[in-house]
Amino acid sequence: MTGTTRSSADLEPRRKRLLFHAWHRGTREMDLLLGRFADETIDAWTEEEVEQMEALMRVPDTELYRWITEQDEVPPNHRSTVLDRVIAFHKGH
C-alpha cells in the first residue's frame, strides 16, 4: 500500500487534516501505521478521539513508533483510547 485508500471529501476540516497528516508523517513506517489506522477508523472517531489523535500527531515519529510497536512503555501522560486502538490495530495487521 502506498497511500490512502479513503477519500477525504466527506470529512470536516479537522479530520481532513488528521487523515493527511497520518499519511505524511515523515517516515514511511509511521505513514503506514497511522495512515491505515486513520483510513479504517476515522469515520467513527468521537470528538475526544479526534483530540487524542491530534495530540498523537505532535509526538515525534521515533517515540510514537516505539510505543506502537511496544518497544518502549507509553508514558502515562500519553496514554489514550486512540493510542490503545492504534497499538491493537498494528498487532492485527
Side-chain angles (χ1 to χ4, degrees):
M1 175 179 285
T2 59
T4 188
T5 58
R6 191 211 187 284
S7 169
S8 64
D10 62 332
L11 296 175
E12 50 99 5
R14 281 175 79 192
R15 290 173 197 256
K16 281 183 183 183
R17 280 190 299 276
L18 283 170
L19 183 62
F20 179 85
H21 196 187
W23 277 107
H24 298 88
R25 289 288 302 182
T27 63
R28 193 66 191 140
E29 293 84 359
M30 289 305 297
D31 292 352
L32 291 171
L33 286 171
L34 292 178
R36 290 185 306 155
F37 173 76
D39 275 358
E40 290 192 29
T41 64
I42 199 167
D43 289 322
W45 294 350
T46 65
E47 277 304 304
E48 182 179 352
E49 290 171 327
V50 168
E51 291 172 11
Q52 291 174 6
M53 192 64 167
E54 288 171 337
L56 282 181
M57 292 296 131
R58 292 188 291 271
V59 175
D61 278 356
T62 52
E63 287 178 65
L64 189 54
Y65 181 80
R66 294 186 65 79
W67 298 344
I68 293 170
T69 59
E70 299 181 307
Q71 295 175 45
D72 286 341
E73 188 80 22
V74 178
N77 62 318
H78 284 285
R79 262 287 164 214
S80 70
T81 304
V82 168
L83 181 54
D84 291 343
R85 289 178 60 202
V86 171
I87 292 168
F89 183 87
H90 167 67
K91 285 182 180 178
H93 283 84

